[in-house]
Amino acid sequence: MAAAAWTLDQTRILTLNQVKRVLGNLGRRSRRYRSTLTTLAVFRLATCCGLRVSEISQLELRDLKLTSERPHINVRKGVGKGGKARKVPLWWDAGTLAFLQQFMARRVQEEASGPSAAICSTSVQSFGNPLERMNLSRRFKQAIKVLGPDCCSSIHDGRHSFASIALAAGRTLPEVRDALGHRNISTTSVYLHALDDGTVGSIFE
């Protein structure tokens, strides 16, 4: 999609502070509830890794390359948009890497293997089954409730937030383009000026 074909709604982009609030809230609750741990994984994969909801639903344990020299998520050919494979770097954020290492270890303890779904149902009747897109989207909405009723971000806005925050943190356009799987760098450049924390300032003083 060309950059000129769409516009980015900045009010739906999560700021770094908002992301930290969500992660903190889910982190505290996930110590008690297995389902919240899954929700935390969904939020991190969308907002800290930039995965699409379809990619999260099809993510397998063997796609998490956490012990390589350059830890990454392998988005398999046929899973990514347009059938394009890509590697999503995990060395950009130590917190996300550490969480996914712990999360993967938990799944292995649950007797999951390489082709098992990374993000799965936690209910007794369907435990281990991949979560559908609607369930993933609902979990994202639950995650951001801590930000208040005015926050209207969707799980795909988590991907937009990842791009904006990564660029603001100093990652280059080519790096973020490749992490997102964009064909054209012009698409990625839309995010260059998207991150605004909404703080009331004094721009003309």
Side-chain angles (χ1 to χ4, degrees):
M1 182 183 295
W6 63 291
T7 56
L8 196 62
D9 185 349
Q10 292 191 25
T11 66
R12 297 173 66 95
I13 298 291
L14 297 178
T15 67
L16 183 58
N17 285 335
Q18 287 178 316
V19 171
K20 288 179 178 179
R21 283 178 61 191
V22 175
L23 292 176
N25 180 60
L26 291 176
R28 290 186 292 272
R29 292 169 51 213
S30 67
R31 299 189 187 104
R32 297 179 59 190
Y33 304 107
R34 175 64 175 83
S35 181
T36 304
L37 183 67
T38 300
T39 299
L40 176 54
V42 171
F43 184 81
R44 276 202 178 270
L45 289 169
T47 311
C48 304
C49 302
L51 295 193
R52 299 178 178 92
V53 63
S54 59
E55 295 167 349
I56 298 173
S57 68
Q58 298 179 74
L59 188 68
E60 298 177 351
L61 285 184
R62 59 186 173 186
D63 297 327
L64 300 172
K65 309 299 183 181
L66 306 181
T67 58
S68 65
E69 185 175 344
R70 281 283 192 264
H72 62 276
I73 297 173
N74 181 44
V75 179
R76 287 167 281 120
K77 184 177 181 180
V79 173
K81 187 175 181 180
K84 182 181 179 182
R86 74 180 190 281
K87 295 179 179 180
V88 179
L90 290 174
W91 65 90
W92 290 4
D93 181 59
T96 298
L97 175 59
F99 170 79
L100 289 176
Q101 288 171 334
Q102 295 170 3
F103 187 81
M104 185 173 181
R106 175 70 176 265
R107 290 289 290 120
V108 171
Q109 290 177 356
E110 295 168 346
E111 300 185 353
S113 59
S116 299
I119 309 300
C120 67
S121 170
T122 57
S123 66
V124 176
Q125 298 85 352
S126 57
F127 188 86
N129 292 343
L131 294 182
E132 297 179 352
R133 298 185 189 189
M134 188 174 296
N135 187 300
L136 295 170
S137 296
R138 184 167 61 249
R139 285 176 180 273
F140 188 92
K141 284 291 188 181
Q142 291 172 345
I144 64 172
K145 280 185 177 180
V146 69
L147 301 178
D150 292 335
C151 185
C152 58
S153 297
S154 68
I155 191 169
H156 195 71
D157 292 321
R159 174 176 162 85
H160 295 322
S161 303
F162 163 77
S164 301
I165 293 171
L167 286 169
R171 306 315 307 196
T172 66
L173 274 172
E175 285 177 323
V176 178
R177 174 201 60 195
D178 293 344
L180 293 172
H182 289 159
R183 293 184 181 276
N184 302 311
I185 206 164
S186 59
T187 304
T188 315
S189 66
V190 171
Y191 301 102
L192 272 172
H193 306 292
L195 191 63
D196 186 336
D197 63 8
T199 302
V200 177
S202 302
I203 192 170
F204 294 111
E205 286 188 1

